[in-house]
Amino acid sequence: MARKRRPTGDDATNARKRFYRRAESYLKQAKSSVGATAARYMELAKINLDDALKTYSKSTTQKFAKPIQKIANDLGIDLGEERRKIQSRSDETAEKIRSRAIDLSEKSRSARALRSRTDEQLRQDEATALLNSPIGNRVIGGTVDIWRDAATVETEQGFEIDKRRIIPALFDYFKVDNLADLLERIETIAGDKLYRDEQSETMYETVKLLIANHTLTDNSVTS
């Protein structure tokens, strides 16, 4: 089997540009939106900025690209702290993270080259990215009373959570069949709080309680 080609500096630069241009686009949409929609676009901008930062190698001494500096400033992100995170990683971990980010960008670019991306496909991709971020932890934690029974299975070691059953249980409860619609249902409960201060433990618990309290008192969510 041929060894996978090591990403080059050009690969990293091109991937970085794709990520920060997406972040710029989401920021623009956030500024023309309000409420949970604006907060969602801001979160998507953060996700893409984070992916752009992952394309920098641990040993780099170059300054962050000017567009990245502007995006970070608009989002209130400390790039000094982000650089420290990059430099604190082991060489092996840093290179794996960098390679995965470049691969992600390439796959996304290739997919768009093969087929035009419809609005619905974009909507689903955005929901997937959000639910794979810390936002997803809030959604899963806040809806535990919904999916716990359906996702609990008995094994030789005792009772365990089968993570593959969580999303289907949520689809069934909220009467949806895709991630984007599920996320919108959650937004009707938590509003823009769902996306606030994702590193804040207090906000994490607040959102969990909002969702949990709603599911305990209401058997449906109006769209």
Side-chain angles (χ1 to χ4, degrees):
M1 182 181 294
R3 176 177 293 182
K4 185 178 179 180
R5 183 177 69 86
R6 185 185 180 90
T8 67
D10 286 343
D11 292 332
T13 298
N14 291 335
R16 188 177 307 136
K17 287 179 179 179
R18 285 191 283 271
F19 285 130
Y20 72 61
R21 284 170 180 165
R22 289 177 207 164
E24 289 173 330
S25 177
Y26 283 125
L27 267 177
K28 184 177 180 180
Q29 292 178 78
K31 291 175 181 177
S32 62
S33 305
V34 296
T37 300
R40 185 195 321 132
Y41 285 137
M42 290 287 281
E43 192 63 32
L44 286 164
K46 289 180 184 178
I47 290 171
N48 279 277
L49 174 61
D50 184 58
D51 285 335
L53 293 172
K54 288 174 181 175
T55 65
Y56 285 97
S57 67
K58 177 181 177 179
S59 60
T60 186
T61 57
Q62 70 185 110
K63 292 183 178 180
F64 289 119
K66 287 185 178 179
I68 288 180
Q69 294 180 41
K70 184 179 185 307
I71 295 166
N73 183 63
D74 288 345
L75 293 171
I77 292 174
D78 182 352
L79 286 179
E81 179 60 28
E82 295 302 316
R83 186 179 291 279
R84 285 189 286 274
K85 288 180 185 177
I86 295 171
Q87 294 174 339
S88 69
R89 296 167 183 153
S90 67
D91 291 344
E92 182 179 3
T93 298
E95 189 55 36
K96 283 182 179 179
I97 289 174
R98 180 170 176 266
S99 294
R100 281 198 296 265
I102 294 171
D103 285 346
L104 175 63
S105 174
E106 285 295 327
K107 287 176 183 177
S108 176
R109 182 179 68 88
S110 298
R112 286 197 299 275
L114 291 171
R115 58 174 173 78
S116 62
R117 207 175 183 195
T118 66
D119 290 343
E120 182 58 25
Q121 288 165 338
L122 175 60
R123 182 170 168 264
Q124 296 300 329
D125 288 346
E126 290 172 348
T128 298
L130 288 163
L131 290 169
N132 283 334
S133 77
I135 301 305
N137 295 332
R138 295 182 180 185
V139 170
I140 299 303
T143 56
V144 64
D145 291 317
I146 295 173
W147 57 256
R148 183 192 286 112
D149 289 345
T152 300
V153 296
E154 187 173 6
T155 68
E156 293 180 356
Q157 290 73 39
F159 290 97
E160 297 179 357
I161 298 298
D162 183 348
K163 294 182 179 179
R164 295 170 299 180
R165 298 188 179 193
I166 294 176
I167 294 300
L170 294 179
F171 282 178
D172 183 61
Y173 178 87
F174 288 105
K175 298 179 175 59
V176 299
D177 60 7
N178 63 77
L179 294 176
D181 285 347
L182 173 63
L183 192 61
E184 285 191 2
R185 298 297 192 271
I186 300 299
E187 284 182 4
T188 65
I189 301 169
D192 61 356
K193 291 185 178 68
L194 179 63
Y195 301 106
R196 288 187 195 167
D197 302 325
E198 67 272 16
Q199 300 304 320
S200 167
E201 188 64 26
T202 300
M203 184 55 67
Y204 177 86
E205 293 300 327
T206 297
V207 171
K208 284 177 64 177
L209 286 171
L210 279 170
I211 299 172
N213 287 341
H214 182 92
T215 60
L216 286 171
T217 59
D218 196 347
N219 291 324
S220 64
V221 176
T222 57
S223 58

